[in-house]
Amino acid sequence: GAGVSQSPSNKVTEKGKDVELRCDPISGHTALYWYRQSLGQGLEFLIYFQGNSAPDKSGLPSDRFSAERTGGSVSTLTIQRTQQEDSAVYLCASSSGQGSSYEQYFGPGTRLTVT
Amino acid sequence: GENVEQHPSTLSVQEGDSAVIKCTYSDSASNYFPWYKQELGKGPQLIIDIRSNVGEKKDQRIAVTLNKTAKHFSLHITETQPEDSAVYFCFFSGGSNYKLTFGKGTLLTVNP
């Protein structure tokens, strides 16, 4: 079946511009996660949505970052006034379980380059 | 947040040898310990996981062991093959702050 998809696959933007990254999770998955992976680094947790509960935003690095999940499905990660240090691969994952103790299915990521 | 340490950061082995990667954690609140494999240009993929009611789990050439007393869990790959070359991450979702934390990753290279 269809896996997690992300768009765009690559995004180049100028410093100071806003960007929106999209994630389409696996149908029926109640949990959705966003992570950031800088070159050669591990995954940094950003935000976690679980069903209709308030999202866990504890990983967002600054107030320039925000995310929404509409209708319990598609999610958009927005970065305002982008900075060069925002350059990274942004990964989305979804999961069918309640809580984070279940397999996460990852999308291919969006590579963001801020010039 | 949760302190998760993963070692080694790089590991190079000859084809057919075994590889072991270890993660240690500081908070004992989690009951789920997975390992993910990430190939170049792709998102991570779960390869094996274990829950805290067992000490070891095997799936063909891959095994995970858990020592809750010592607070560490390890990934074991036997009879390594070149296609095992990738970055491997442990994941931890426990802790008093319930932080979702991946280890820093281990770059495994299997030389033919």
Side-chain angles (χ1 to χ4, degrees), chain A residues 5 22-23 29 35 61-63 73-74 84-85 91 98-99 102-104 109 114:
Chain A
S5 61
R22 177 185 169 107
C23 172
H29 278 193
Y35 296 90
S62 76
D63 58 8
S73 181
V74 172
Q84 289 187 331
E85 60 263 29
L91 290 160
Q98 291 288 329
Y102 295 88
E103 179 175 3
Q104 296 181 46
V114 181

Side-chain angles (χ1 to χ4, degrees), chain A residues 33 35 37 40-43 45 48 56 58-59 91 99-109 111, chain B residues 30-32 36 38 41-46 49 51 89 91 93 97-105:
Chain A
Y33 308 79
Y35 296 90
Q37 187 172 33
Q41 300 297 311
L43 285 80
F45 164 71
Y48 162 44
D56 177 356
S58 60
L91 290 160
S100 55
S101 297
Y102 295 88
E103 179 175 3
Q104 296 181 46
Y105 295 82
F106 283 84
R111 181 175 298 279
Chain B
S30 181
N31 63 358
Y32 178 63
Y36 286 80
Q38 186 176 28
K42 297 183 179 180
Q45 183 175 12
L46 180 77
D49 57 12
R51 298 195 182 269
F89 295 96
F91 175 77
S93 64
N97 295 327
Y98 204 64
K99 285 294 186 183
L100 305 180
T101 306
F102 277 86
K104 294 294 185 188

